[in-house]
Amino acid sequence: MDFAVEHRVEKGLTVVKISGEIDVFTSPRLREALLDIIDNGGTRLVIDLGEVTFLDSTGLGVLVGIYHRLRARDGSMSFMGVNDRVRRVFHVTQLTKIFVLHDSLEEAIAAHEAAEA
């Protein structure tokens, strides 16, 4: 599976779908794509990791950096569709303490709407 990043806006959230491996080779492209989204006004991100087959520490570093950039702009970032392998990486690194992992887009939208109310 080739690495790809796509995004769309849905109910006030920017849904970013990532597919393939997030590693030392693809992390720079991921960082650039996410920065472009933020620079174009996307501050409420839901990252769809449903088609991510691998995530290394370089990829985690990109996600943490983007998270801090969004927080500085009063934005948010959560995740959905996280498979067991990638979920384990979030748990082992204790990033579940700062990142919210949703099971579905509907759950992410509901959480966003509740936070905005």
Side-chain angles (χ1 to χ4, degrees):
M1 175 184 294
D2 290 331
F3 177 78
V5 179
E6 304 168 357
H7 73 281
R8 69 185 188 279
V9 176
E10 194 160 327
K11 296 192 177 184
L13 299 173
T14 302
V15 180
V16 181
K17 181 179 179 180
I18 305 169
S19 56
E21 296 183 353
I22 303 174
D23 58 20
V24 69
F25 301 107
T26 60
S27 289
R29 287 192 291 164
L30 175 61
R31 182 177 189 280
E32 186 175 318
L34 293 173
L35 289 175
D36 284 346
I37 290 167
I38 293 169
D39 289 344
N40 287 306
T43 58
R44 305 274 186 247
L45 305 185
V46 177
I47 311 293
D48 181 351
L49 298 177
E51 294 184 13
V52 170
T53 56
F54 179 79
L55 175 63
D56 74 3
S57 60
T58 310
L60 286 175
V62 168
L63 295 174
V64 170
I66 294 297
Y67 170 81
H68 287 297
R69 184 171 294 241
L70 284 167
R71 296 280 298 182
R73 295 181 182 206
D74 199 30
S76 64
M77 182 169 73
S78 62
F79 298 86
M80 63 177 254
V82 182
N83 64 43
D84 290 340
R85 184 177 190 178
V86 173
R87 185 178 296 271
R88 197 167 342 162
V89 173
F90 279 99
H91 282 287
V92 167
T93 57
Q94 297 188 5
L95 286 174
T96 52
K97 292 181 179 181
I98 62 167
F99 291 143
V100 178
L101 309 179
H102 299 288
D103 291 328
S104 67
L105 179 58
E106 292 76 22
E107 184 181 303
I109 290 170
H112 172 72
E113 289 173 349
E116 294 290 310

